[in-house]
Amino acid sequence: MIKNTLFFLAIFTSLFTMQAQEDPYLWLEDVESEKSLEFVNKQNKITEDKLSRTPEYQDIYEKSLERYNSKDRIVYPSTYGEYVYNFWKDEKHVRGIWRRSLKSKYMDGNPSWETLLDLDEMSKTDGVKWVYEGARGLYPNYNIFLVSFSKGGSDATIEREFDVNTKTFVEDGFYIPESKSRESYVDENTLIISSDFGENTLTTSGYPRQVRLWKRGTLLKDATLLYEGEVDDIIVSGYVLRDKKTKYIGVVCYTSSTDISNFLFVGNQQIKLDIPSDTYPENLINNQLVLKLQSDWNVNNKIYKQGSLISLNFTELLKGNKQIQLIIEPDESSSIEEVLKTKNKLLINLLHNVNSELYIYAYVNNKWIREKVKAPDYGRISITNMNTLSDEYFFTYSNFLTPTTLYIANAQTNTFKPFKSLRPFFDGDKYKVNQYMSTSKDGTQIPYFVVAAKDMKTDGTNPTLLYAYGGFEISMKPFYSATYGTAWLDNGGVFVLANIRGGGEFGPKWHQAGLKEKRQNVFDDFHSVAEDLIAKNITSPKHLGISGGSNGGLLVGVAFTQRPDLYNAVVCQVPLLDMKRYNKLLAGASWVGEYGNPDIPEEWDYIKKYSPYHNLKKNVEYPEVFFYTSTRDDRVHPAHARKMAAKMMDMGYPVYYYENIEGGHGGTSTNEQSAKSTAMRFSYLLMKLK
């Protein structure tokens, strides 16, 4: 026994030694070790000392904090029954308050807020830096809510049940310990929940693989098992589908991003939905199950095209029959951005050439009819709140130069009116917006927006910031930002937003053109935009900076290692950079459908060609990169930024490194932290590019 133990210990020690020799910075993966935090604190001090002394820092910080705490901000509603709920942070409520007002008073423009939860008081009492992560009410009366809190902004949350009438946590109510859980009320005494139920109940991605029904008054560990996935699945989650007074219990199992199983539980019967394996239910309305197709679907020799929105008669589908209606088939320049429902209508937010169009659909006499909402053109529309007990909803409109306006609308009458507008924080009349096309390496046309002064000279000297994302079918749309306006445009900067492949701007095909072995397309698209900006003499490599976060952090990491000749500043936020080990760190295993699996030799063959951590070279003129991450990020491991920074410094390359001790994947959790992050980023960019 002792000999066997020593034998396996020797093997483990040998393997660890081999790994350490291959990667001498593995120790930085220990998030809160004394040695790791010593590195973090040292670099934080150096970076903060340097950047806080730049001429623009204090002004940017103060103006940013003033805006973040401004009483003029739009108070976005979350409607539950007769009340509007809102979470609010300002200088008096640093961590924020969860509050509510009668909807009638909110609609009159004179809300009477009552505080339900004070996160500052909770944090002080509990000795924990709590961050509010949302609340879900018990349908249809909404007297009880499940409220989510995280420690410092992490993805893992604690769920507590709260009575909004007594303003107290429910005694002996549902309580879910810290985990990346998903839960919904089935009824007053039942939750459908996926969570960390103990040993062997999580996937390799760190997400739940069991769904259970949990009855009030019983222990979580004793909840009834409804479905169990495999350890190598990404996540298994339960949900409740409601169609007015009818409800169904469902489970979705993600084996990969393109292998999804959907189950409904009717009585004692488990029914697997006969729908494409790369899609999932968007909504259920008037007995029509709404699906967005990620690939062509051939049903009875009729092909429903990739990117289309269709519906199926739901009760017939449960019997194994397919009665399909086409809702919309976007053209080559369009994609479906949002699909939401009110009581009787379907709301579809469409992107056309990266500008939003909003439509109302109704199912009448076995077919879908549509009306366009005559919202403002050439900008970004977002549906911010809807009420499935009525046809009332809210949406926002903005563009690069037009401050956000919140509209109240009615899907039944197709009417809307402005409710509240953000005041302009900079003079938009001084600037112009143009949309251009660059040509990528394979000939694909890549659209991008340029926001610049009307009197901008095309002499190659304009400080220019290029931003993109390029992954996970996420679209980059025009947006209004007081920070970008005052900190960048008003300081002579040019802002560029690129719509590269990997995103969702032109539907699933645009995303799929950047997956796995096609990932280099994403980077080539980004390089092509940079080259086009230089060719147009808008800027030059000396004055061109790039910025990206998360997958966008990987993007800019690849950009400066592949084409250091193009860029003079890089803001690399909460990034992926070590693509050899990304699938072993936190949620990384859930992204192999996007990037590929580095443990499979033929897939590592294409990943290693762009992995920033593995493509650093000596004696190259890299830009002086600014890495920004968070200790509490439990989605993308902070070691990506830590190891890259440490490796570059040891190779003799100067870098800036700052790690916020809290903040999660979003990077910050208070307005002060957000203002500080903003001031550091833009003072760095102005220092390097002006």
Side-chain angles (χ1 to χ4, degrees), residues 348-575:
I348 298 178
N349 193 357
L350 194 71
L351 273 187
H352 181 69
N353 285 325
V354 206
N355 286 286
S356 297
E357 297 175 357
L358 184 59
Y359 294 89
I360 299 169
Y361 280 75
Y363 192 66
V364 180
N365 297 325
N366 296 319
K367 66 178 182 180
W368 290 95
I369 59 174
R370 82 172 187 176
E371 292 181 86
K372 185 175 182 179
V373 179
K374 295 180 180 178
D377 294 323
Y378 305 111
R380 173 196 192 117
I381 293 171
S382 297
I383 303 167
T384 57
N385 179 243
M386 73 293 305
N387 183 356
T388 56
L389 298 178
S390 77
D391 286 311
E392 188 177 81
Y393 67 101
F394 290 83
F395 71 88
T396 59
Y397 171 85
S398 66
N399 60 35
F400 291 112
L401 304 178
T402 304
T404 304
T405 294
L406 177 67
Y407 292 87
I408 182 170
N410 189 295
Q412 187 67 43
T413 59
N414 191 12
T415 56
F416 66 92
K417 62 181 179 180
F419 182 74
K420 172 73 174 177
S421 293
L422 191 68
R423 70 175 177 88
F425 286 94
F426 63 95
D427 184 3
D429 290 338
K430 296 192 304 185
Y431 303 101
K432 61 182 178 180
V433 180
N434 292 107
Q435 190 176 25
Y436 297 109
M437 292 280 187
S438 67
T439 303
S440 194
K441 187 176 182 179
D442 64 357
T444 302
Q445 294 295 289
I446 308 301
Y448 65 95
F449 294 97
V450 175
V451 188
K454 289 178 178 178
D455 60 355
M456 177 190 71
K457 295 179 180 179
T458 52
D459 60 2
T461 65
N462 299 291
T464 301
L465 176 60
L466 169 59
Y467 183 88
Y469 188 76
F472 297 91
E473 207 173 335
I474 295 173
S475 303
M476 293 292 101
K477 296 163 288 186
F479 62 94
Y480 182 82
S481 170
T483 298
Y484 279 80
T486 57
W488 189 245
L489 297 178
D490 283 353
N491 278 308
V494 174
F495 178 67
V496 181
L497 182 68
N499 303 114
I500 60 180
R501 282 174 287 184
E505 290 88 345
F506 302 106
K509 68 180 183 301
W510 197 248
H511 171 226
Q512 292 165 16
L515 291 180
K516 291 189 171 183
E517 74 277 4
K518 300 174 185 175
R519 202 72 185 179
Q520 187 59 42
N521 286 336
V522 176
F523 312 132
D524 289 340
D525 293 354
F526 194 69
H527 300 326
S528 76
V529 174
E531 290 172 329
D532 205 46
L533 291 167
I534 294 166
K536 284 181 168 61
N537 235 20
I538 291 172
T539 192
S540 60
K542 181 181 178 181
H543 300 285
L544 179 56
I546 54 178
S547 176
S550 191
N551 173 75
L554 169 63
L555 171 68
V556 298
V558 174
F560 87 79
T561 50
Q562 287 190 350
R563 292 298 305 276
D565 57 306
L566 288 178
Y567 313 108
N568 196 40
V570 181
V571 178
C572 188
Q573 296 175 265
V574 290

Side-chain angles (χ1 to χ4, degrees), residues 109-270:
N110 295 297
S112 178
W113 296 110
E114 54 176 327
T115 298
L116 300 172
L117 281 169
D118 186 324
L119 272 290
D120 294 279
E121 287 298 320
M122 276 186 60
S123 298
K124 183 178 178 181
T125 300
D126 298 341
V128 177
K129 294 179 178 179
W130 291 119
V131 175
Y132 173 82
E133 300 290 357
R136 283 88 57 219
L138 173 61
Y139 175 92
N141 297 320
Y142 303 113
N143 293 319
I144 298 175
F145 283 73
L146 284 169
V147 188
S148 301
F149 308 95
S150 72
K151 296 177 180 178
S154 62
D155 283 357
T157 59
I158 289 169
E159 315 290 324
R160 298 184 67 180
E161 199 173 26
F162 190 84
D163 187 320
V164 293
N165 293 324
T166 63
K167 300 180 187 177
T168 57
F169 290 107
V170 177
E171 187 175 355
D172 297 323
F174 289 117
Y175 172 82
I176 304 168
E178 188 176 31
S179 69
K180 296 181 180 180
S181 63
R182 307 284 190 276
E183 61 285 318
S184 298
Y185 280 110
V186 176
D187 55 45
E188 183 178 0
N189 294 308
T190 313
L191 293 184
I192 184 168
I193 176 172
S194 55
S195 186
D196 183 351
F197 298 105
E199 186 178 357
N200 203 33
T201 63
L202 299 180
T203 67
T204 52
S205 299
Y207 293 110
R209 71 181 188 96
Q210 290 184 351
V211 175
R212 301 190 184 194
L213 285 177
W214 185 18
K215 292 292 185 180
R216 187 179 298 279
T218 65
L219 297 176
L220 177 59
K221 69 180 181 63
D222 296 330
T224 303
L225 181 65
L226 196 62
Y227 182 88
E228 183 172 40
E230 301 298 326
V231 173
D232 290 334
D233 289 337
I234 295 175
I235 186 173
V236 179
S237 183
Y239 59 91
V240 177
L241 268 180
R242 296 187 186 276
D243 190 6
K244 295 187 171 68
K245 293 184 179 180
T246 305
K247 67 183 176 187
Y248 300 90
I249 293 174
V251 168
V252 58
C253 174
Y254 284 81
T255 299
S256 71
S257 57
T258 57
D259 187 2
I260 307 167
S261 299
N262 289 276
F263 302 91
L264 263 292
F265 294 82
V266 181
N268 294 321
Q269 188 179 11
Q270 175 183 299

Side-chain angles (χ1 to χ4, degrees), residues 264 266 269-275 289 297 299-300 312-324:
L264 263 292
V266 181
Q269 188 179 11
Q270 175 183 299
I271 302 172
K272 184 175 182 179
L273 296 184
D274 187 10
I275 59 177
L289 185 71
W297 193 24
V299 181
N300 298 326
L312 296 92
N313 182 307
F314 189 56
T315 51
E316 287 299 313
L317 180 65
L318 294 179
K319 298 174 186 175
N321 304 319
K322 297 189 186 74
Q323 296 178 6
I324 303 176

